[in-house]
Amino acid sequence: MQRLLDLGDTLAEDEDYDQAEAMYRKAIELDPKHAIALFSLGFLFENDMLDIDGAERHYRSAIELAPKFALAHNSLGGLLKTHRQDLEGAERHCRVA
């Protein structure tokens, strides 16, 4: 699992976003409840692929599985503020982080 996540991270850094997505999806396929894999895919979607809906969906899934996952809350808060103009939701998630 960690190897897939590391490879996804490396591919994303190399701007090979399609292959990075494939690695994260493979990790999720192997363990659908792996919050870090879901978060990583969300982060890729938001920051590199500009798929805001996909990013939000994956951040929320990660938080549902790991309610104290600070980085996922912080990222969702930033997304809500920047892309949804939802200051209340952003504040709520940033407080958890």
Side-chain angles (χ1 to χ4, degrees):
M1 177 65 66
Q2 189 59 47
R3 188 167 175 234
L4 289 171
L5 296 176
D6 291 343
L7 183 54
D9 293 345
T10 299
L11 289 163
E13 288 172 13
D14 291 342
E15 298 181 4
D16 190 347
Y17 304 131
D18 291 336
Q19 288 301 311
E21 178 183 0
M23 292 304 105
Y24 296 140
R25 288 193 182 281
K26 180 67 174 174
I28 293 165
E29 181 182 311
L30 292 172
D31 183 357
K33 294 184 177 185
H34 198 284
I36 295 171
L38 289 160
F39 167 79
S40 296
L41 185 55
F43 190 84
L44 178 75
F45 280 0
E46 180 181 9
N47 294 287
D48 299 315
M49 300 179 85
L50 306 178
D51 177 354
I52 304 308
D53 292 336
E56 182 176 357
R57 185 173 52 255
H58 286 89
Y59 288 156
R60 289 186 185 280
S61 294
I63 290 167
E64 184 177 315
L65 293 168
K68 295 181 181 183
F69 189 172
L71 190 55
H73 278 285
N74 189 55
S75 294
L76 180 57
L79 180 149
L80 292 173
K81 178 182 177 191
T82 303
H83 299 287
R84 304 284 193 230
Q85 289 72 48
D86 178 1
L87 298 180
E88 254 182 58
E91 182 178 352
R92 186 173 55 253
H93 284 282
C94 287
R95 285 187 188 276
V96 174

